[in-house]
């Protein structure tokens, strides 16, 4: 499996980074410096600030000081596990108008078994900046690992749902990293960092909504064109279905965001949690969709080496008189062109494997129609190995593999290719891997309106093939960026 060692190394590195954060905070977090920002004209004196703690056996205010006229700092030291409340009273100079007199603020503190002090109101602690840096390093590590695997899949012609998943995760983590680095200057607590991470999905959805709206319109239009030219079939409606689902999802997201500010405080928190969850799922799925499009497109641009022993030609419908349709002739011509280029470069012929059975409305099998066409092009019978039992693409690959084994006596060291229409290339790679055949695609051109539906079909295939993996990733994202925020009692 491509990237297996890389994934293991990434997992170990992430685990070590998480353990490093825990150890660092446990060792360096037994005291906590709380920096509160106030706006006064004159420097404070010691008589202008006092701090009391209701449980001095849990935490004590070890030192109280002020940096300047704007920042007041209080040092807390953890003594034993438990919770405590600190009351800060600050005297504001009467010249400050409405802020004159004593200003009081209460803060909740928690000390764990390692005597680490947490400010639970702001989810802050000494060492939070180190943890933020490690999280950002983790994001870039995931991006580099997944991105490297995506690139390797291309250069090694391992076009698969694994490649799509790696590309989608790489894109999602890259966006999260860029967003966090861009806004790091605003963080003065771990709370702010968590809020921004939870908000990243929403911002991604907002930023990409114009492009997704355009994409949804284009795929819907392409489906209408496809139905007009190819007839009504459910698989020809995938683009329209996705466009409708995406518009409904984004509409619900914006409605939740708007309505959160119109109801009660309890409804605000529920609507906000739902909007964060929905936006994260939408943004992640958008990344997966974009990765599917890029992967499928790259599969059509890969140029296989001219070293093939067999060239499978994937069948499709033929005309009523038994001749090839333009699409099928394009596939056969692509295989012929490749074989001639190979012979010119290496002086080695490849055998053709035209694949396709006979449909109820066809006078001969698709493989027989292709065989006759190949004979017309001057190829001898002994260079053609027909497969005439298959009724779909999966069987094209599976039964052609069996015919190659029969003809060659073995599949060991057999180098195969498959010729099909460009929008169909990625599916050919998927099915070749499924049936244990290491074959590479040879692309034939076709009409543009086939492509969007092919992309969506592969996206649907990705969701089905990697359903547990994708569900797991979404669960982790929701736990870290949404449920984690609520668990830590961060009020948004």
């Amino acid at each position: 499996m491509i990237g297996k060692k890389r994934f293991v190394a990434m997992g170990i590195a992430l685990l070590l980074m998480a353990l490093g954060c825990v150890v660092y905070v446990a060792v360096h977090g037994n005291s906590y410096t709380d920096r509160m920002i106030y706006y006064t004209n004159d420097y404070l004196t010691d008589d202008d600030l006092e701090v009391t703690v209701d449980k001095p056996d849990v935490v004590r205010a070890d030192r109280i000081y002020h940096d300047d006229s704007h920042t007041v700092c209080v040092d807390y030291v953890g003594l034993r596990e438990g919770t405590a409340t600190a009351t800060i009273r600050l005297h504001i100079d009467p010249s400050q108008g409405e802020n004159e007199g004593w200003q009081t603020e209460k803060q909740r503190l928690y000390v764990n078994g390692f005597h680490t002090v947490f400010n639970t109101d702001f989810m802050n602690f000494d060492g939070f900046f180190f943890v933020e840096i490690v999280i950002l390093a983790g994001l870039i590590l995931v991006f580099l690992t997944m991105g490297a695997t995506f690139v390797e899949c291309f250069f090694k012609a391992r076009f698969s749902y694994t490649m799509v998943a790696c590309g989608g995760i790489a894109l999602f983590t890259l966006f999260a990293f860029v967003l966090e680095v861009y806004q790091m200057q605003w963080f003065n607590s771990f709370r702010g960092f968590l809020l921004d991470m939870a908000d990243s999905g929403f911002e991604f959805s907002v930023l990409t909504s114009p492009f997704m709206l355009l994409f949804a319109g284009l795929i819907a239009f392409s489906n209408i064109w496809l139905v007009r030219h190819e007839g009504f079939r459910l698989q020809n409606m995938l683009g329209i279905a996705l466009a409708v689902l995406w518009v409904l999802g984004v509409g619900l997201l914006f409605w939740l965001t708007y309505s959160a500010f119109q109801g009660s405080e309890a409804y605000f928190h529920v609507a906000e949690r739902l909007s964060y969850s929905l936006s994260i799922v939408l943004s992640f799925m958008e990344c997966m969709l974009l990765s599917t499009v890029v992967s499928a497109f790259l599969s059509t641009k890969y140029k296989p080496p001219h070293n093939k022993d067999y060239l499978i030609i994937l069948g499709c419908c033929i005309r009523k008189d038994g001749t090839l349709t333009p699409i099928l002739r394009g596939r056969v011509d692509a295989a012929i062109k490749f074989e001639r280029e190979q012979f010119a470069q290496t002086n080695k012929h490849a055998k053709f494997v035209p694949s396709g059975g006979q449909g109820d409305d066809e006078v001969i099998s698709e493989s027989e129609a292709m065989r006759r066409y190949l004979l017309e092009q001057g190829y001898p019978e002994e260079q053609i190995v027909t497969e005439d039992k298959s009724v779909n693409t999966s069987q094209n690959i599976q039964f052609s593999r069996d015919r190659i084994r029969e003809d060659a006596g073995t599949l060991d060291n057999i180098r195969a290719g498959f010729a099909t229409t460009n929008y169909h290339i990625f599916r050919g790679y998927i099915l070749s891997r499924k049936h244990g055949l290491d074959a590479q695609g040879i692309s034939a051109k076709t009409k543009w309106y086939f492509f969007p539906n092919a992309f969506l079909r592969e996206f649907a295939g990705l969701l089905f093939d990697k359903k547990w993996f994708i569900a797991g990733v979404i669960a982790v994202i929701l736990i870290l960026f949404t449920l984690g925020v609520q668990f830590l009692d961060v009020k948004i």
Side-chain angles (χ1 to χ4, degrees):
M1 174 183 173
I2 282 187
K4 183 176 181 179
K5 292 182 179 179
R6 191 181 296 123
F7 293 150
V8 171
M10 180 191 72
I12 294 174
L14 291 175
L15 179 61
L16 292 176
M17 293 165 79
L19 292 175
C21 287
V22 172
V23 172
Y24 183 87
V25 173
V27 171
H28 294 279
N30 57 356
S31 65
Y32 166 64
T33 301
D34 192 10
R35 291 173 172 83
M36 299 162 288
I37 298 178
Y38 295 91
Y39 294 95
T40 62
N41 287 335
D42 301 318
Y43 285 94
L44 299 171
T45 66
D46 292 337
D47 295 333
D48 292 325
L49 177 66
E50 62 181 45
V51 180
T52 57
V53 181
D54 65 341
K55 296 179 182 178
D57 59 328
V58 174
V59 66
R60 72 168 186 264
D62 186 57
R63 184 168 45 146
I64 304 170
Y65 62 96
H66 53 271
D67 291 340
D68 53 33
S69 61
H70 298 292
T71 306
V72 175
C73 298
V74 179
D75 248 11
Y76 298 104
V77 177
L79 301 177
R80 69 172 180 85
E81 185 175 3
T83 60
T85 300
T87 302
I88 301 101
R89 298 183 73 238
L90 177 70
H91 184 261
I92 304 299
D93 190 281
S95 63
Q96 301 307 303
E98 61 181 5
N99 292 326
E100 65 179 283
W102 288 91
Q103 181 173 333
T104 302
E105 178 181 321
K106 292 184 180 293
Q107 295 182 353
R108 294 176 297 171
L109 304 170
Y110 168 70
V111 180
N112 65 13
F114 295 100
H115 294 182
T116 305
V117 184
F118 295 89
N119 182 323
T120 59
D121 285 317
F122 296 98
M123 193 48 219
N124 211 356
F125 51 90
D126 278 5
F128 83 88
F129 184 73
F130 174 82
V131 175
E132 289 175 347
I133 295 299
V134 172
I135 291 176
L136 291 175
L139 288 174
I140 203 64
L141 173 63
V142 173
F143 164 72
L144 292 174
T145 302
M146 296 300 175
T149 305
F150 182 88
V151 173
E152 183 181 8
C153 284
F154 171 72
F155 284 108
K156 291 188 176 181
R158 295 295 190 268
F159 299 99
S160 62
Y161 292 134
T162 297
M163 176 183 182
V164 174
C166 288
I169 294 174
L171 180 61
F172 186 83
T173 52
L174 176 63
F175 175 81
F177 174 81
V178 171
L179 180 67
E180 298 309 318
V181 170
Y182 174 74
Q183 301 197 39
M184 274 191 71
Q185 57 183 324
W186 303 107
F187 299 151
N188 57 8
S189 71
F190 196 65
R191 173 181 183 252
F193 183 82
L194 288 176
L195 290 179
D196 199 65
M197 293 291 281
D199 194 46
S200 61
F202 179 79
E203 295 195 29
F204 185 92
S205 298
V206 171
L207 290 174
T208 58
S209 58
F211 306 100
M212 284 299 298
L213 182 61
L214 177 62
F215 181 76
L218 289 175
I219 60 176
F221 175 76
S222 72
N223 270 194
I224 295 173
W225 195 278
L226 184 63
V227 169
R228 288 183 59 188
H229 287 76
E230 302 296 325
F232 178 83
R233 290 184 295 175
L234 288 179
Q235 56 265 43
N236 289 347
M237 302 294 289
L238 285 174
I240 295 175
L242 180 70
V244 171
L245 288 175
W246 183 84
V247 170
L248 290 176
V250 173
L252 177 60
L253 173 62
F254 281 97
W255 179 81
L256 285 171
T257 304
Y258 171 78
S259 65
F261 297 95
Q262 310 302 315
S264 64
E265 182 178 356
Y267 177 78
F268 173 83
H269 287 296
V270 172
E272 194 168 42
R273 293 295 183 271
L274 289 175
S275 67
Y276 274 129
S277 301
L278 180 59
S279 64
I280 289 172
V281 172
L282 279 175
S283 58
F284 182 72
M285 287 302 174
E286 287 174 12
C287 291
M288 286 296 174
L289 177 58
L290 180 58
S291 180
T292 301
V293 172
V294 173
S295 299
F297 176 76
L298 289 177
S299 70
T300 68
K301 298 302 179 182
Y302 180 80
K303 303 299 182 183
H306 291 86
N307 60 355
K308 301 297 180 279
D309 302 302
Y310 291 87
L311 297 177
I312 301 170
I313 307 173
L314 303 184
C316 64
C317 59
I318 59 176
R319 288 173 171 165
K320 293 181 179 181
D321 61 357
T323 59
L324 306 184
T325 59
I327 289 181
L328 188 54
R329 186 172 63 250
R331 297 180 182 185
V332 181
D333 287 341
I336 291 174
K337 179 182 177 183
F338 183 90
E339 201 279 336
R340 287 175 177 172
E341 290 175 349
Q342 175 173 303
F343 182 73
Q345 293 179 17
T346 66
N347 202 35
K348 174 185 176 180
H349 281 297
K351 288 188 175 183
F352 296 98
V353 187
S355 176
Q358 181 177 351
D360 294 336
D361 58 346
E362 295 176 334
V363 295
I364 57 175
S365 68
E366 296 164 7
S367 63
E368 175 61 20
M370 288 186 278
R371 185 188 73 85
R372 294 178 182 180
Y373 183 79
L374 288 168
L375 292 174
E376 292 173 1
Q377 303 305 310
Y379 287 98
E381 285 276 6
E382 57 268 20
Q383 201 174 339
I384 305 172
V385 181
T386 58
E387 182 288 300
D388 59 1
K389 304 298 182 184
S390 58
V391 297
N392 55 47
T393 306
S394 181
Q395 290 184 1
N396 284 154
I397 300 292
Q398 181 183 3
F399 296 168
S400 294
R401 176 204 63 192
D402 296 340
R403 291 289 288 124
I404 291 172
R405 183 189 289 115
E406 292 173 9
D407 185 73
T410 180
L411 287 178
D412 296 340
N413 301 317
I414 292 295
R415 288 165 294 195
F418 62 89
T420 188
T421 318
N422 45 16
Y423 71 85
H424 202 228
I425 286 287
F426 190 81
R427 173 140 297 265
Y429 276 105
I430 297 294
L431 294 174
S432 294
R433 298 288 180 274
K434 177 181 178 181
H435 294 299
L437 185 65
D438 187 13
Q440 297 171 331
I442 301 165
S443 179
K445 295 181 180 181
T446 190
K447 299 291 191 301
W448 65 271
Y449 50 79
F450 284 103
F451 272 97
N453 219 55
F455 294 151
L456 296 179
R457 181 186 59 198
E458 299 311 335
F459 179 62
L462 166 70
L463 298 182
F464 178 79
D465 188 77
K466 298 293 183 180
K467 53 184 177 294
W468 298 118
F469 171 77
I470 292 176
V473 171
I474 291 176
V476 169
I477 292 172
L478 292 177
I479 291 172
L480 290 179
F481 297 160
T482 305
L483 301 181
V485 174
Q486 185 173 7
F487 176 76
L488 294 171
D489 194 27
V490 178
K491 294 181 176 58
I492 302 176

